[in-house]
């Protein structure tokens, strides 16, 4: 979009906040420096405003990129000169919480944290959680099909969405705010927009399923010899009917050591010296019950699982210290600016073999490579960062991807577990996604967005 179009844009959206490129340059772009490369940002107040913006962009041949909390990790919200950002920040109301139907109706720009707080007032929870909860929006989470800490139990965002509203590339509004779990009334088209990263429509409202929450959740940090041992522990707690496993996060030693150093933890404060660490969350009616069940459960499985060391947090501060080890992943970026990061799903019992295979494969590429590996143990979602110094040349990046992704699809896993494709995994998508799936995706994009208005160049390639 040329600067000459700005007055027309302002006239078309008289009630929206609009920033030009100069204003954008002074603002924080979020987790990806490329987010604010656009020529303008528009913050509409409602779905009609979004529709007017979409129509304006379609009419003038301008690419439009939706942005929520700008916490996305796959470059899906990156923009370039000439494009316009549709910022959902002003559409952030929790419109309704129905405690009996256990559903929330929220505007797309509401943060996960705001929804969690509003639902908690009714003893309910959206059943999905991630470290970026303070900024990540429901619309962004729908669009990346976010997963997070509780996906092993409650599914990903796709499984939490009962209905949604989205503005299509031609400005029409797709309205399916179904708020009941059961509907088999033809194609369930809302799923087209979930995980589409803003390429098929701009999500404006969502009906989110809520679940009752336990009274309290206790945390433990457990040292184990390998992922298989950690999986034994998880299976043990999943078998309990009186408690509810809420989190099972695994940290391989290299990652745990980096975090410990970065966070300045004194040696011996936590049980940290084991090949793998497991952060467990267990919910029960009261904190005493949850802590007691964690202690008893760990004691019962200690020998069988080969537990090396373990500690149940005795205070909120100690639990927070355990969680910081897992969640403050910016330590990686601090130690290795521009380190390439990956997000894979590895099926079932294959985690130890997978990690051994990629460690060996990466060493073959460069003897100094020793990846940081951590993630959501119970659903096999591993995050991997490679300890490179400075930017990695394109060919080397592709070679690293091949080490990490080869064989994953055939084994029933995924080269992109929960962060999306965006720009980061565009080439990997071409090399590693099923070719028929790619063809269908191209056809759907061409049918719904023939002029390539919404988030052009992301996820699917256009001929
Ligand atoms: C510290 C940290 C921890 C994280 N942990 C997890 C985790 O455990 N699990 C996980 O899944 N992710 C995680 N993420 C990634 C990120 O939080 C998610 O991808 C989140 O869903 C992005 O939401 P957002 O509002 O920030 O979206 P943005 O970053 O603004 O956008 C992401 C994508 O969605 C599109 N989009 C945004 N809003 C809309 C809309 N209303 N309509 C259509 N398209 C839209 C954008 O165009 C872009 O393609 C983490 C990120 C950080 C920084």
């Amino acid at each position: 979009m040329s600067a000459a179009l700005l007055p027309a844009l302002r006239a078309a959206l008289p009630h929206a906040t609009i920033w030009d490129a100069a204003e954008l340059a002074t603002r924080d772009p979020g987790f990806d420096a490329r987010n604010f490369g656009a020529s303008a940002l528009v913050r509409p107040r409602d779905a009609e405003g979004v529709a007017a913006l979409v129509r304006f962009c379609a009419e003038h041949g301008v690419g439009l990129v939706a942005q929520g909390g700008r916490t996305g990790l796959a470059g899906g919200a990156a923009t370039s000169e000439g494009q316009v950002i549709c910022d959902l920040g002003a559409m952030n109301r929790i419109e309704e919480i129905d405690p009996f139907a256990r559903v929330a109706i929220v505007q797309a720009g509401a943060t996960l944290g705001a929804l969690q707080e509003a639902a908690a007032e009714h003893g309910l929870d959206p059943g999905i959680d991630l470290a970026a909860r303070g900024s990540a929006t429901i619309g962004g989470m729908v669009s990346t099909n976010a997963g997070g800490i509780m996906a092993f139990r409650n599914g990903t965002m796709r499984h939490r969405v009962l209905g949604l509203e989205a503005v299509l590339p031609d400005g029409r509004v797709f309205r399916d705010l179904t708020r009941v779990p059961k509907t088999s009334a033809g194609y369930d088209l809302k799923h087209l927009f979930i995980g589409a990263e803003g390429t098929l429509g701009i999500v404006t409202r969502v009906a989110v399923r809520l679940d009752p929450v336990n009274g309290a959740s206790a945390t433990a940090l457990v040292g184990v010899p390998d992922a298989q041992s950690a999986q034994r522990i998880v299976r043990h707690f999943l078998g309990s009917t009186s408690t509810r496993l809420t989190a099972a996060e695994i940290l391989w030693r290299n990652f745990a050591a980096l975090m410990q150093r970065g966070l300045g933890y004194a040696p011996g404060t936590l049980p940290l010296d084991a090949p793998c660490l497991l952060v467990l969350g267990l919910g029960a009616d009261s904190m005493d019950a949850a802590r007691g069940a964690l202690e008893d459960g760990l004691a019962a499985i200690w020998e069988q699982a080969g537990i090396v060391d373990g500690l149940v947090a005795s205070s909120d501060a100690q639990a927070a210290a355990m969680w910081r080890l897992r969640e403050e992943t910016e330590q990686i970026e601090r130690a290795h600016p521009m380190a390439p990061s990956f997000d894979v799903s590895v099926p079932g019992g294959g985690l130890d073999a997978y990690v051994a295979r990629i460690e060996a494969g990466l060493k073959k590429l460069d003897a100094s490579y020793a990846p940081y590996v951590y993630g959501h143990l119970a659903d096999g979602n591993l995050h991997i960062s490679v300890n490179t110094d400075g930017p990695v040349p394109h060919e080397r990046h592709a070679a690293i991807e091949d080490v990490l992704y080869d064989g994953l699809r055939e084994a029933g896993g995924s080269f992109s577990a929960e962060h999306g494709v965006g720009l980061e995994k565009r080439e990997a998508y071409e090399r590693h996604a099923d070719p028929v799936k790619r063809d269908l995706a191209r056809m759907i994009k061409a049918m719904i967005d023939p002029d390539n208005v919404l988030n052009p160049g992301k996820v699917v390639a256009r001929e």
Side-chain angles (χ1 to χ4, degrees):
M1 191 190 76
S2 67
L5 265 185
L6 259 177
L9 181 62
R10 290 189 200 282
L13 286 125
H15 304 299
T17 301
I18 298 180
W19 294 343
D20 60 14
E23 177 78 35
L24 277 170
T26 67
R27 304 280 180 160
D28 175 7
F31 270 80
D32 193 318
R34 299 166 297 182
N35 284 345
F36 280 175
S39 296
L41 174 149
V42 180
R43 188 175 297 139
R45 298 201 308 202
D46 49 30
E48 286 63 40
V50 174
L53 175 59
V54 171
R55 278 194 297 270
F56 179 90
C57 289
E59 202 177 306
H60 293 90
V62 170
L64 182 63
V65 182
Q67 290 185 357
R70 294 181 272 273
T71 67
L73 299 174
T79 55
S80 52
E81 202 181 331
Q83 295 186 326
V84 170
I85 295 164
C86 176
D87 178 304
L88 278 297
M91 295 169 59
N92 61 358
R93 276 196 315 120
I94 313 282
E95 293 184 345
E96 184 188 341
I97 299 231
D98 180 339
F100 299 105
R102 297 189 306 282
V103 60
I105 307 295
V106 298
Q107 294 185 337
T111 63
L112 171 63
L115 176 58
Q116 286 172 329
E117 270 178 36
E121 286 176 23
H122 302 271
L124 297 169
D125 185 81
I128 189 159
D129 193 22
L130 37 89
R133 59 187 77 78
S135 307
T137 62
I138 297 303
M141 291 176 63
V142 166
S143 303
T144 57
N145 187 24
I149 297 158
M150 293 196 283
F152 72 97
R153 158 140 249 145
N154 302 326
T156 62
M157 202 62 194
R158 184 179 300 286
H159 308 102
R160 309 307 302 167
V161 174
L162 294 169
L164 59 76
E165 177 188 272
V167 176
L168 301 181
D170 62 7
R172 284 181 300 162
V173 181
F174 168 87
R175 280 201 179 88
D176 175 12
L177 278 173
T178 304
R179 48 165 78 201
V180 288
K182 287 185 177 170
T183 167
S184 57
Y187 296 169
D188 198 350
L189 295 179
K190 67 173 180 283
H191 286 291
L192 277 179
F193 303 96
I194 304 174
E197 300 179 57
T199 59
L200 299 178
I202 297 188
V203 179
T204 46
R205 280 204 292 172
V206 187
V208 184
R209 178 199 294 264
L210 302 174
D211 287 335
V213 275
N214 287 107
S217 184
T219 305
L221 186 66
V222 187
V224 288
D226 49 30
Q228 196 184 17
S229 161
Q231 283 172 320
R232 282 213 177 96
I233 299 171
V234 166
R235 201 170 59 203
H236 178 79
F237 283 106
L238 279 175
S240 160
T241 48
S242 56
T243 56
R244 196 177 153 87
L245 189 69
T246 51
E249 298 291 305
I250 188 164
L251 290 56
W252 265 262
R253 179 178 255 147
N254 208 19
F255 171 77
L258 177 88
M259 295 296 281
Q260 192 185 355
R261 279 196 305 278
L263 294 169
Y265 286 3
T269 356
L270 292 171
L272 291 164
D273 191 21
C276 291
L277 298 180
L278 179 62
V279 183
L280 283 175
L282 193 73
D285 289 343
S286 69
M287 187 53 93
D288 280 351
R291 284 191 187 130
L294 255 183
E295 276 164 12
D296 294 348
L298 287 172
I301 189 84
W302 196 278
E303 274 187 28
Q304 199 195 333
I307 294 176
V308 177
D309 202 352
L311 181 69
V312 175
S314 57
S315 65
D316 288 351
Q318 201 170 35
M322 292 174 178
W323 272 108
R324 289 182 73 204
L325 268 181
R326 162 61 183 87
E327 292 198 327
E328 293 201 12
T329 50
E330 57 268 27
Q331 303 300 333
I332 299 178
E333 177 69 13
R334 245 173 239 162
H336 304 277
M338 310 186 80
S341 295
F342 307 89
D343 161 45
V344 301
S345 271
V346 182
L351 290 178
D352 290 309
Y354 175 79
V355 172
R357 177 174 76 68
I358 63 156
E359 280 177 344
L362 290 172
K363 279 246 169 326
K364 266 195 207 157
L365 288 181
D366 183 321
S368 72
Y369 284 172
Y372 300 110
V373 185
Y374 60 100
H376 311 293
L377 172 76
D379 54 37
N381 174 194
L382 299 184
H383 299 305
I384 300 158
S385 295
V386 182
N387 56 325
T388 53
D389 290 316
V392 175
H394 180 262
E395 271 177 30
R396 171 50 59 92
H397 195 277
I400 294 175
E401 282 184 333
D402 288 342
V403 170
L404 268 52
Y405 300 159
D406 274 351
L408 268 184
R409 175 162 60 92
E410 292 75 5
S414 175
F415 70 91
S416 177
E418 59 174 7
H419 295 161
V421 172
L423 277 183
E424 296 301 316
K425 299 194 190 105
R426 268 287 312 123
E427 289 183 26
Y429 177 86
E430 296 301 327
R431 289 204 306 277
H432 295 276
D434 173 63
V436 178
K437 179 180 168 178
R438 283 190 277 119
D439 270 359
L440 278 179
R442 260 195 298 271
M443 286 160 67
I444 291 169
K445 171 72 174 171
M447 184 187 67
I448 296 181
D449 188 12
D451 297 326
N452 208 11
V453 176
L454 292 186
N455 216 355
K458 311 288 174 50
V459 190
V460 287
R462 292 290 303 272
E463 256 89 61

